[in-house]
Amino acid sequence: MTDTLVTEVEQTVDAYLARSYGAERRLTLAECHGWDRAFLDEIDDLGWFALAVPESADGVGLPLSAVGAATMSLGRHLVPGPMVERLLLPALLLRHIDGSGPPRHDLPGAVVALVDPAANGTWSVDDDGVRVESGGLVGSMLPVRFGQEADQLLTVAESAGELAVYLLPPQTPGLDIEPVASADPTARLARVTFTEPAGAGITPVLTGSAAGRFVTELRAWARILAACELSGIATRLVEDTSAFVQVREQFGRPIGSFQAVKHTLADMYALARSLRNLCDAALEDAVSSSAEDLPMLAAVTKAYAAEAAVGVCESAIQMHGGAGFTTETDLHLYYKRALALRGWYGDHEELAHRIGDALLAGAGLAEPGDVS
């Protein structure tokens, strides 16, 4: 993907959001954790969800890195809702499955919730995991973003020592979806439980090595997109904080004139700018990376993003003084979103350990409990 195309996609998304998505609308959508069909239809009509969908499925056919460019702007404006679920999952799955009937024709435009135990990293207190037993699925997963609202649940399961990928409608017998409280202002969460076993007789869409390749790519792109969204958040908070310290006065002077504030802003800018450069490089390299190199590239990008963006958020809150610790501004929404993204598919500490282990062993990056 050329730099020009990345720039065009990002500028197009950013221009629309700057024009049509102000603070009042952001707050309204955050209060319902991003589930608003009218807003999603509005985004769908703009064609954003078709950016990386293959042309054979009536998509735009751009590389997956186009989704990264769009995701940076979504982070900058703190756009809630199942964005990654609609931008990435149908497009990626359509690149891995053959045929023209179900489930291919069900994917474009669908809200696909992701049921992947690796999404929680290693910090989950529940024994998450889904496995195949007696021809169906058993196990549970918490949390699942937009599990109750989804049209399909893309489920990664263990099957006899290998991976299998299922696409299940929420009405599947034995499938229980329970909403749970969410501190993430951009997402509704749910616990998904498979009993009976659920979905008995339903054929997986991918199995064996094909499922392994898909899941590897899925997890890598999920990490890269999380890093891109965190980059957008960090960039926005540097901009907002820079503007704030130039008008907020103390002792008759703008606080931005004080040396300590200048140093903090310089550190914030350095973190946000380096994260942006890293994301740009990752998007450029990811499309041509081998299956062995892509997971490491994604893990390094996400690990840096998780620490850098949260650091920028915390400095922004400090620079806003008392206003930064209240709901008076949108700072708390950006901070909560950054914290939620930090843990998604591994935070900086977990990923750093796994990157180090892989380098010392001279092997590829392993997922917790990975059977691939």
Side-chain angles (χ1 to χ4, degrees), residues 279-292:
C279 289
D280 285 344
L283 290 176
E284 185 72 28
D285 294 342
V287 176
S288 57
S289 288
S290 67
E292 291 74 26

Side-chain angles (χ1 to χ4, degrees), residues 53-61 94 104:
V53 171
E55 292 181 90
S56 59
D58 298 328
V60 180
L94 283 165
R104 282 185 68 91

Side-chain angles (χ1 to χ4, degrees), residues 40-41 106 154 157 282-283 340 357:
L40 292 174
D41 290 344
D106 296 329
L154 192 158
L283 290 176
D357 289 343

